[in-house]
Amino acid sequence: MLMKNGPYQFSDIQFINNLHFAYDINAETLLFISQEIKQLLGIGDGDISSAALIQRVHEDDLPLLLEQLKQLKEGNFNGQIQFRARGPENYRWFRMLPLLARSGAQTLLLGNINDITDEIAQVEMIAKYTHKKNSILHMLGHDLRGPINIAQTVLQLMKHDASSELMQQRAQHVSETLTESLKMINSLLSREFMETTDITLYKKRINIVKKIAEYIEEYRRSTTTKRTFTFFSNKDEIYLMLDEAKFMQVMNNLMSNALKFTHPGDTVTVTITQEPEMVRFSFTDTGIGIPEDQLPRIFDKFTSAGRNGLNGEPTTGLGLSVVKDIVSWHGGKIWCQSEVNKGTTFIINIPINISTA
């Protein structure tokens, strides 16, 4: 932390390495802002007031930014701040590393600001296609295995009724081909599950309502799942600091589970509720439910409570275990409520940290 005996002067701060701005908290005066930031925001040399800068911050990010700065002044914040600010053409993403410097009664807010617009765009593009890939994998995994299992059953009947050894051999060959296809599907999905066990988290602030609404819409557009998908939220926007790819894997695993244990015509409902200290996610289906004696073991790795799906979809024994791990990595909790032949609900609580949410 920068310290000195007397009050800070403009010349004291403008040449500090990597310093992009300096703000006198007591006088509420912006003392210095680098030429680089001025150019990014399209600010002239004659107008570097703090009010002019605040007006450029995106309205969705402004409340969080002000709250984090308040906590910083109180000594309760230590970290980085991300926000959008309007430039000459459009909004850009910035990452700010602030710190306080005190000298007697004078307190300065100093900071380093970096333009991370390209970084955010790249991460969002990767996350978008990762979500789409995962959704397609799980839909195909469910929708392909059912018909293949049916085809195998028909082939067994054909082999039994075949009048010639040649027809039996051909039926056996087709059956073996289908079996290999199932193994490939199961292996692919198993690898996808295992990849989520990497515990390195890359958290960012996301509107989880928008992300899950888009996710549910992907399933609604599917012509093969033959379920009804519904989504509810008590707010249009709910922001959380999440590892987006991993958290959406939670949605993928729960959706895969729901598809395995529901019949065509059943309903899958996702609900998000923001409460004062946490965000609650409810994932409900109207499927066959889970027997009461199996509920305590469903989140265990390689659990004996694992069951094949209604169309013979095998279990990896890892799906719900991975879900619990990812939720735990985000400081959350998950539990399950279920009744046989009436359906299942998974409930997830993720805490809200006002300094990051």
Side-chain angles (χ1 to χ4, degrees):
M1 182 176 291
L2 180 67
M3 299 293 294
K4 62 174 291 183
N5 295 326
Y8 290 96
Q9 303 297 323
F10 179 81
S11 59
D12 295 327
I13 60 177
Q14 64 176 321
F15 298 114
I16 298 175
N17 289 338
N18 297 322
L19 180 66
H20 289 139
F21 75 92
Y23 178 75
D24 188 323
I25 291 178
N26 299 329
E28 297 185 350
T29 303
L30 186 66
L31 302 178
F32 167 72
I33 185 169
S34 70
Q35 192 64 32
E36 175 187 353
I37 302 302
K38 287 181 185 178
Q39 291 175 353
L40 286 171
L41 296 178
I43 296 175
D45 292 335
D47 185 11
I48 61 169
S49 67
S50 55
L53 294 178
I54 287 294
Q55 289 177 356
R56 292 178 177 273
V57 176
H58 195 287
E59 61 180 5
D60 291 344
D61 301 335
L62 182 58
L64 176 64
L65 174 63
L66 294 177
E67 178 62 29
Q68 290 173 324
L69 292 177
K70 176 185 174 184
Q71 291 197 6
L72 178 68
K73 288 186 238 180
E74 296 170 352
N76 298 323
F77 182 87
N78 181 22
Q80 62 185 24
I81 300 173
Q82 291 188 181
F83 61 93
R84 287 163 290 180
R86 190 177 68 254
E89 299 179 357
N90 48 35
Y91 281 95
R92 303 192 68 81
W93 276 99
F94 294 92
R95 179 185 292 124
M96 178 170 65
L97 297 174
L99 60 88
L100 291 181
R102 293 187 174 91
S103 177
Q106 189 181 30
T107 302
L108 295 187
L109 176 63
L110 308 177
N112 168 267
I113 301 179
N114 292 305
D115 182 354
I116 58 170
T117 304
D118 292 341
E119 176 185 330
I120 293 292
Q122 184 177 24
V123 169
E124 289 182 346
M125 181 183 69
I126 293 172
K128 175 183 176 181
Y129 286 103
T130 297
H131 298 163
K132 183 167 291 188
K133 178 262 295 180
N134 286 338
S135 297
I136 292 172
L137 277 175
H138 282 79
M139 283 189 283
L140 289 178
H142 175 269
D143 297 334
L144 282 178
R145 284 187 294 201
I148 290 176
N149 282 322
I150 293 172
Q152 285 187 314
T153 301
V154 173
L155 280 169
Q156 293 303 316
L157 294 174
M158 290 174 61
K159 285 172 61 179
H160 183 269
D161 295 337
S163 58
S164 70
E165 183 178 350
L166 178 60
M167 289 301 296
Q168 291 182 353
Q169 290 176 348
R170 288 176 176 174
Q172 179 63 29
H173 177 70
V174 175
S175 178
E176 291 173 354
T177 302
L178 292 176
T179 298
E180 289 302 313
S181 298
L182 278 175
K183 287 181 180 179
M184 290 176 61
I185 293 172
N186 296 336
S187 175
L188 179 61
L189 294 179
S190 295
R191 287 199 299 270
E192 288 296 316
F193 278 169
M194 291 302 292
E195 285 179 3
T196 64
T197 59
D198 177 4
I199 62 173
T200 302
L201 297 183
Y202 300 94
K203 290 185 179 181
K204 69 171 184 174
R205 184 170 178 260
I206 64 172
N207 179 0
I208 194 62
V209 176
K210 178 182 177 182
K211 294 297 179 184
I212 295 185
E214 292 172 348
Y215 176 81
I216 295 298
E217 188 59 31
E218 290 285 339
Y219 277 91
R220 284 181 179 150
R221 292 173 182 169
S222 171
T223 60
T224 57
T225 51
K226 298 180 181 178
R227 273 77 168 169
T228 298
F229 299 95
T230 58
F231 173 64
F232 302 99
S233 174
N234 70 335
K235 292 188 176 182
D236 293 335
E237 296 181 344
I238 298 176
Y239 287 91
L240 283 173
M241 286 293 290
L242 300 171
D243 184 310
E244 185 177 345
K246 285 184 171 59
F247 193 79
M248 293 309 294
Q249 186 65 48
V250 168
M251 295 295 108
N252 283 325
N253 289 16
L254 292 179
M255 181 64 80
S256 176
N257 205 63
L259 292 176
K260 284 165 61 177
F261 299 111
T262 55
H263 297 282
D266 279 344
T267 299
V268 178
T269 301
V270 178
T271 302
I272 306 178
T273 306
Q274 181 170 342
E275 300 183 6
E277 297 182 353
M278 58 90 178
V279 175
R280 172 165 293 180
F281 301 82
S282 296
F283 202 104
T284 302
D285 67 63
T286 58
I288 64 172
I290 302 171
E292 185 176 357
D293 63 333
Q294 294 184 7
L295 282 173
R297 305 192 304 278
I298 61 173
F299 294 108
D300 295 342
K301 286 183 172 65
F302 306 107
T303 175
S304 59
R307 301 174 293 169
N308 287 342
L310 297 182
N311 291 313
E313 303 96 331
T315 176
T316 63
L318 289 170
L320 291 179
S321 171
V322 169
V323 166
K324 183 180 179 181
D325 284 343
I326 295 174
V327 171
S328 177
W329 296 339
H330 287 85
K333 296 181 179 179
I334 182 171
W335 67 96
C336 178
Q337 300 170 345
S338 187
E339 189 172 347
V340 173
N341 296 325
K342 291 190 177 180
T344 300
T345 297
F346 288 93
I347 301 169
I348 299 171
N349 285 350
I350 301 293
I352 296 175
N353 183 342
I354 189 61
S355 66
T356 56

